[in-house]
Amino acid sequence: MPEYPHLGWDPVPGSPSAIAALQTKLSTSATALGTAHRLVDQLLGESAYWRGEAADAFREALDGDLPRHLKNAHRSVSKAASKLRRWHDDLVGYQATAKKYDTRAKLEQAALTRAETQHERVRTAPDLPESDLTAATAAVTKAREALESVRRLARELEETHRVEAGRIAKALNEATDKLAPQKPGALSKAMDWVDDNLGDSLSLLSASLGLIAIFVAAPVAVPLLFAAAGLSLAAFVSHASDPKHGSALKAGFTQGKFDGQFWSSVVTLGGDALGALPGVGAVAQGAKGVAAATRAGVAAEQGASATFRSGARAFGADSTAAIREADAGPKPVLDWVVRKTSPQAEMPLQAGVAGSAVVTSGIGLSPADDNDAVQNTATGVDGARLAASDTPGAGINAARTWAQLAH
C-alpha cells in the first residue's frame, strides 16, 4: 500500500493490483458462465427433437436450477467485474494525485522549515530592524498556509475517494439485488452452487455433447466432439483441484481407505481424462500439421501471411481428421457385442453408453448425489462403462496417435 509521509496519512487507501486481479477473475468467470449458459440453452432446445428414456434423462439432468443459476450468476458477475474495473481506474488516478500532493507537501514542509529557521535567527539576532522580524514572521505564516493548503486538497481528495468507494459498493450491491434472484444472499448461494458443482456441470455438458454427436451428421459432429473433449479437460482440471477428490485419493493411497468416495474420485477423474484424450490427440496432430506446413512454406520462401494460412489449413484438416478417426476408432467390447447380435444394434448401444454418462453426470448435480446407495450405483455404472467401453478404445487411439506423432 502506498504511503504519504509528508501528508501524514493515506487519503486514498486501496490496492489497485488486488482489485485488478479480482476483476480479471470475475471477468473470466463471467465469460465461462455465459458460455455454459448458452450451451445449456442450446442443448435443451435441440433435445426437443429426441425421444426415449435417454432424451428424458438428458432433459431432466439439464433442466431446473442449472440454467437459472448460470444465467443469474453470469449477469451479476459481469456487472460486478465492470464496476470493479471502473473503481480500479479511479483508484489509480486518486493515488497518482495523492502522490503529487505528497511531493508538494514535502516541498512546502521544507520551505516552512527554512522560514522557521530564518525567523528564529532574526528573532535572536541583536540590533536587527523590527521590519526584518515582521517579514520573517510573515514568511512563516505564508509557508504554513501553503502546507495547509496542500493538506486541505488531500482531505478533499480523501472525501472524493470515500464518496466514490461508497457509490461503487452500492452499485455492487445493486448488481446483486437486481440481477441475481431476489432474496438475501441469493448471489452468494448461486456462486457457491456454481463453485461446488462446476466440475460436475462440465462433465454433464461434455457427456451431453457426446450423446448429441451420435445422432448428427459428421460435419456437425466434429465441432461437438471437440467441444466435448475441451469440456472434459476443463472438468478434469476442476475435479483435480477439488479438495474432496484430493482427500479421498490421499486417504486411499496413504491409509488404505478404499471406500466409495475413493472409487468415485478415481472414476470421475479417469472419465474426465479419457473424455479429454481425443481432443488432446487431435490438437497434437493439428500442431504437427502446422509444423510441417510452416517448414514447407519456409522452404518455398512463401510470405508470412501465406505460411500462416497454410498452417491454419493444415491444423484444421489434420485435427479434424484425428478427431474423426478417434470417434470411428475400434471399440473392442462394443464391436464384439455388435458382431454377436446385429449391425443395427450399434447406434442404440452407443446411445445407451453415452446416455448412461449423461444420467450419472446429472446425478452428481441432483439431491440424489447425497444418497450413498445412489452414488455408489452411479460410480459402478461409470466404472463399468470406462472399463468396458471407454478405456480399451482410448488406449488403442492413444497408441495410434502416438505412433503417428512419432513419425
Side-chain angles (χ1 to χ4, degrees), residues 300-324:
E301 297 183 351
Q302 294 178 345
S305 177
T307 301
F308 175 80
R309 289 194 298 271
S310 298
R313 286 194 297 269
F315 180 86
D318 290 357
S319 61
T320 298
I323 201 75
R324 284 177 173 169

Side-chain angles (χ1 to χ4, degrees), residues 40-61:
V40 169
D41 266 356
Q42 181 180 354
L43 291 176
L44 285 172
E46 292 178 354
S47 71
Y49 300 100
W50 304 348
R51 296 293 183 270
E53 293 182 2
D56 292 339
F58 171 78
R59 283 189 288 270
E60 182 179 353

Side-chain angles (χ1 to χ4, degrees), residues 36 40 43 57-70 190 192-208 235 238-239 242 244-245 264 268 357-371 374-375 378 382:
V40 169
L43 291 176
F58 171 78
R59 283 189 288 270
E60 182 179 353
L62 279 188
D63 206 1
D65 287 339
L66 177 60
R68 177 170 55 84
H69 280 312
L70 289 174
D192 287 344
W193 187 93
V194 171
D195 185 55
D196 293 341
N197 297 279
L198 180 59
D200 291 339
S201 299
L202 293 170
S203 294
L204 173 60
L205 294 174
S206 175
S208 300
S238 179
H239 282 139
D242 188 340
K244 177 181 69 175
H245 293 298
S264 176
T268 296
V358 173
V359 173
T360 54
S361 298
I363 288 174
L365 296 171
S366 69
D369 189 52
D370 295 331
N371 186 305
V374 174
Q375 186 184 68
D382 282 337

Side-chain angles (χ1 to χ4, degrees), residues 283-369:
V283 170
Q285 194 73 15
K288 181 180 179 183
V290 171
T294 301
R295 288 194 298 269
V298 172
E301 297 183 351
Q302 294 178 345
S305 177
T307 301
F308 175 80
R309 289 194 298 271
S310 298
R313 286 194 297 269
F315 180 86
D318 290 357
S319 61
T320 298
I323 201 75
R324 284 177 173 169
E325 187 175 5
D327 183 52
K331 302 174 181 63
V333 176
L334 179 63
D335 294 341
W336 179 83
V337 174
V338 170
R339 286 197 303 271
K340 292 295 183 179
T341 55
S342 167
Q344 286 73 29
E346 181 175 2
M347 180 171 287
L349 285 172
Q350 288 182 341
V353 171
S356 71
V358 173
V359 173
T360 54
S361 298
I363 288 174
L365 296 171
S366 69
D369 189 52

Side-chain angles (χ1 to χ4, degrees), residues 29-402:
S29 298
T31 300
L33 289 167
T35 301
H37 176 253
R38 289 192 297 272
L39 182 57
V40 169
D41 266 356
Q42 181 180 354
L43 291 176
L44 285 172
E46 292 178 354
S47 71
Y49 300 100
W50 304 348
R51 296 293 183 270
E53 293 182 2
D56 292 339
F58 171 78
R59 283 189 288 270
E60 182 179 353
L62 279 188
D63 206 1
D65 287 339
L66 177 60
R68 177 170 55 84
H69 280 312
L70 289 174
K71 180 180 180 180
N72 290 337
H74 166 65
R75 296 178 66 189
S76 294
V77 172
S78 297
K79 185 78 170 183
S82 176
K83 295 299 180 183
L84 283 178
R85 181 169 56 250
R86 179 172 178 177
W87 174 235
H88 168 271
D89 295 342
D90 288 345
L91 183 59
V92 169
Y94 293 153
Q95 292 185 345
T97 301
K99 288 180 181 179
K100 292 180 182 178
Y101 289 163
D102 190 64
T103 300
R104 285 181 57 186
K106 178 182 179 180
L107 298 175
E108 299 299 348
Q109 181 63 62
L112 175 59
T113 300
R114 290 194 300 270
E116 290 176 336
T117 301
Q118 176 65 11
H119 178 270
E120 184 64 19
R121 187 183 67 78
V122 170
R123 188 183 66 81
T124 58
D127 303 327
L128 283 179
E130 184 67 23
S131 60
D132 287 357
L133 180 59
T134 301
T137 302
V140 170
T141 301
K142 182 179 180 179
R144 285 176 177 168
E145 289 177 349
L147 178 59
E148 180 56 31
S149 176
V150 174
R151 288 176 174 167
R152 183 170 60 253
L153 291 173
R155 285 191 289 271
E156 292 174 357
L157 178 63
E158 181 178 34
E159 178 63 14
T160 300
H161 171 277
R162 185 191 67 78
V163 171
E164 185 62 16
R167 192 188 68 79
I168 291 295
K170 181 180 178 182
L172 290 175
N173 287 333
E174 288 176 351
T176 301
D177 293 339
K178 295 179 180 179
L179 298 182
Q182 297 297 310
K183 59 180 181 178
L187 175 62
S188 177
K189 292 179 181 178
M191 291 305 298
D192 287 344
W193 187 93
V194 171
D195 185 55
D196 293 341
N197 297 279
L198 180 59
D200 291 339
S201 299
L202 293 170
S203 294
L204 173 60
L205 294 174
S206 175
S208 300
L209 290 180
L211 178 60
I212 297 173
I214 294 174
F215 298 98
V216 299
V220 179
V222 169
L224 290 178
L225 292 171
F226 266 117
L231 289 168
S232 285
L233 181 60
F236 177 83
V237 173
S238 179
H239 282 139
S241 61
D242 188 340
K244 177 181 69 175
H245 293 298
S247 60
L249 294 174
K250 182 179 179 180
F253 291 121
T254 62
Q255 304 172 21
K257 191 177 180 181
F258 300 112
D259 56 3
Q261 186 58 54
F262 171 83
W263 291 112
S264 176
S265 298
V266 169
V267 169
T268 296
L269 292 172
D272 292 337
L274 290 176
L277 193 59
V280 173
V283 170
Q285 194 73 15
K288 181 180 179 183
V290 171
T294 301
R295 288 194 298 269
V298 172
E301 297 183 351
Q302 294 178 345
S305 177
T307 301
F308 175 80
R309 289 194 298 271
S310 298
R313 286 194 297 269
F315 180 86
D318 290 357
S319 61
T320 298
I323 201 75
R324 284 177 173 169
E325 187 175 5
D327 183 52
K331 302 174 181 63
V333 176
L334 179 63
D335 294 341
W336 179 83
V337 174
V338 170
R339 286 197 303 271
K340 292 295 183 179
T341 55
S342 167
Q344 286 73 29
E346 181 175 2
M347 180 171 287
L349 285 172
Q350 288 182 341
V353 171
S356 71
V358 173
V359 173
T360 54
S361 298
I363 288 174
L365 296 171
S366 69
D369 189 52
D370 295 331
N371 186 305
D372 289 341
V374 174
Q375 186 184 68
N376 291 338
T377 300
T379 299
V381 171
D382 282 337
R385 185 183 67 254
L386 294 181
S389 176
D390 294 357
T391 302
I396 294 173
N397 285 325
R400 180 185 298 170
T401 300
W402 179 259

